[in-house]
């Protein structure tokens, strides 16, 4: 008889129901409604529960995202019992055969202003939530990032939308390693390997709510700076495989601190971009010649 372990995740709307053994080796599955779950009899049954918003099935667990009409404390034990009863009575979790067929994916490399970083662009969407990984210990939410860190030349990883920005160690040359990493990413995705475990990162709604709460607590100048970065800066640096995130603004020193991510971090031209680009833009748009911009990690 199978007994599940119920585990909370970093996202309060998502609970994991872990099995003592693997339940699928055919990839990562995400179902958003009962019609979408035709390949999973278990997921279809779960959607009869009125609070079930999304069902994730991967490796040894089923994760469920709930609507806000209930609290997990009130229903998680009942859901666990329902899943256990379904499986112990011979119910099918995943009809994996259709998922085994490879989905052709194109992956190509793009150079960035940072000679240590290369942008690998896929023909499919990888994530709606930008995620940065500095080392293998931080890759709990991304099986793909964890695999990429097995390559000795991979130093840092940044994943956003349809691309993966990889920063290498300087002792390696992209001419020697870029083909290997591009082929690996392509084959990994085509074989159904999970890029991100969405249950371990905040959903877009949760993330937006948190950002809005933090934004509303800031002073007016900080809010204006964030809006300028979002509208004018981020689209430009995203094209180069990077991101520039607001950290803080010191009114007394007129100092804006930002965080460089992806290809922007460690880029030789980042100082020029910050001083001649972003700093001048903020001076002009905020009508304040005393504004200074500095990166706290570059």
């Amino acid at each position: 008889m199978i007994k599940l372990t119920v585990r909370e995740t970093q996202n309060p709307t998502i609970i994991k129901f872990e099995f003592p053994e693997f339940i699928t080796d055919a990839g990562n599955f995400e179902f958003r409604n009962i019609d979408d779950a035709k390949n999973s009899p278990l997921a279809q049954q779960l959607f009869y529960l009125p609070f079930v918003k999304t069902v994730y099935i991967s490796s040894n667990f089923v994760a469920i995202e709930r609507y806000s009409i209930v609290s997990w404390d009130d229903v998680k034990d009942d859901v666990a019992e329902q899943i256990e009863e379904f499986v112990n009575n011979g119910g099918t979790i995943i009809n994996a055969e259709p998922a085994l067929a490879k989905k052709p994916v194109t992956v190509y490399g793009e150079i960035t202003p940072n000679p240590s970083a290369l942008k690998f662009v896929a023909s499919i969407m990888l994530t709606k939530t930008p995620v940065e990984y500095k080392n293998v210990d931080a890759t709990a939410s991304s099986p793909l990032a964890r695999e990429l860190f097995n390559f000795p030349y991979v130093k840092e990883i940044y994943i956003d939308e349809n691309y993966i920005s990889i920063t290498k160690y300087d002792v390696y040359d992209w001419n020697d390693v870029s083909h290997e990493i591009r082929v690996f990413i392509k084959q990994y995705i085509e074989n159904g390997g999970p890029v991100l475990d969405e249950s371990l990162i905040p959903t877009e709604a949760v993330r937006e709510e948190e950002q809005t709460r933090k934004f509303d607590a800031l002073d007016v100048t900080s809010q204006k700076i964030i809006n300028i970065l979002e509208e004018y800066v981020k689209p430009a640096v995203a094209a180069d495989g990077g991101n520039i995130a607001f950290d803080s603004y010191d009114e007394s020193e007129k100092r804006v601190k930002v965080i460089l991510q992806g290809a922007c971090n460690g880029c030789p031209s980042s100082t020029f971009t910050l001083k001649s680009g972003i700093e001048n833009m903020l001076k002009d748009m905020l009508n304040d010649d005393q504004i200074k911009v500095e990166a706290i990690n570059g």
Side-chain angles (χ1 to χ4, degrees):
M1 299 291 286
I2 290 176
K3 186 68 176 177
L4 300 181
T5 301
V6 181
R7 296 192 188 279
E8 296 181 353
T9 71
Q10 296 177 3
N11 186 336
T13 66
I14 296 178
I15 283 284
K16 267 187 174 183
F17 301 90
E18 292 188 351
F19 287 72
E21 58 189 21
F22 281 88
I23 57 176
T24 177
D25 57 1
N28 190 41
F29 301 86
E30 178 179 335
F31 306 108
R32 296 192 174 275
N33 53 63
I34 194 168
D35 293 328
D36 189 32
K38 292 178 180 178
N39 199 36
S40 174
L42 172 59
Q44 286 188 316
Q45 177 168 314
L46 290 171
F47 277 114
Y48 285 110
L49 300 172
F51 55 84
V52 172
K53 181 179 181 181
T54 309
V55 177
Y56 307 94
I57 299 177
S58 181
S59 59
N60 71 325
F61 68 85
V62 174
I64 299 176
E65 180 183 7
R66 63 169 173 79
Y67 287 106
S68 59
I69 58 174
V70 298
S71 167
W72 272 125
D73 289 337
D74 297 330
V75 299
K76 63 183 180 183
D77 291 337
D78 291 337
V79 174
E81 290 180 7
Q82 181 171 325
I83 296 175
E84 288 170 350
E85 182 179 358
F86 177 89
V87 175
N88 288 326
N89 288 334
T92 300
I93 298 174
I94 282 285
N95 294 316
E97 289 78 7
L100 294 176
K102 287 187 177 182
K103 296 182 179 180
V105 175
T106 300
V107 177
Y108 64 91
E110 282 187 359
I111 61 173
T112 74
N114 184 351
S116 295
L118 201 60
K119 180 181 176 183
F120 295 90
V121 183
S123 56
I124 62 171
M125 179 66 70
L126 302 177
T127 179
K128 294 181 180 179
T129 306
V131 189
E132 184 176 38
Y133 302 101
K134 296 287 189 179
N135 54 63
V136 68
D137 294 332
T139 58
S141 62
S142 177
L144 173 56
R146 184 164 58 249
E147 293 295 327
L148 288 172
F149 273 115
N150 288 328
F151 292 95
Y153 45 81
V154 173
K155 182 180 180 182
E156 295 178 7
I157 299 168
Y158 179 76
I159 305 176
D160 191 9
E161 296 185 342
N162 68 327
Y163 71 86
I164 303 168
S165 181
I166 295 179
T167 302
K168 66 172 180 62
Y169 288 100
D170 291 339
V171 294
Y172 294 92
D173 191 304
W174 277 125
N175 291 327
D176 299 327
V177 301
S178 62
H179 177 73
E180 179 182 35
I181 205 74
R182 183 186 66 79
V183 171
F184 174 81
I185 294 173
K186 172 180 168 64
Q187 292 179 346
Y188 180 93
I189 297 174
E190 285 184 335
N191 288 327
V195 177
L196 286 170
D197 181 347
E198 298 291 343
S199 69
L200 293 180
I201 57 177
T203 62
E204 189 69 17
V206 171
R207 194 166 64 93
E208 287 184 359
E209 181 180 349
E210 181 180 357
Q211 289 178 335
T212 300
R213 187 166 58 251
K214 290 180 178 178
F215 182 86
D216 291 342
L218 294 172
D219 60 273
V220 174
T221 303
S222 293
Q223 292 178 345
K224 290 180 179 179
I225 292 170
I226 290 175
N227 288 334
I228 293 171
L229 292 177
E230 290 287 337
E231 184 173 357
Y232 298 100
V233 177
K234 287 194 175 185
V237 297
D240 290 328
N243 186 40
I244 295 179
F246 175 83
D247 178 76
S248 61
Y249 171 65
D250 188 317
E251 176 67 33
S252 61
E253 296 183 357
K254 300 295 182 73
R255 188 182 307 278
V256 180
K257 292 184 178 181
V258 297
I259 301 171
L260 305 180
Q261 297 176 312
C264 291
N265 188 17
C267 178
S269 63
S270 62
T271 301
F272 178 82
T273 300
L274 290 174
K275 295 298 180 182
S276 299
I278 300 173
E279 187 173 288
N280 287 342
M281 180 186 298
L282 291 177
K283 286 179 178 179
D284 180 60
M285 299 185 77
L286 297 175
N287 194 27
D288 189 342
D289 290 335
Q290 303 302 312
I291 292 286
K292 298 180 288 291
V293 177
E294 67 177 40
I296 62 177
N297 64 329

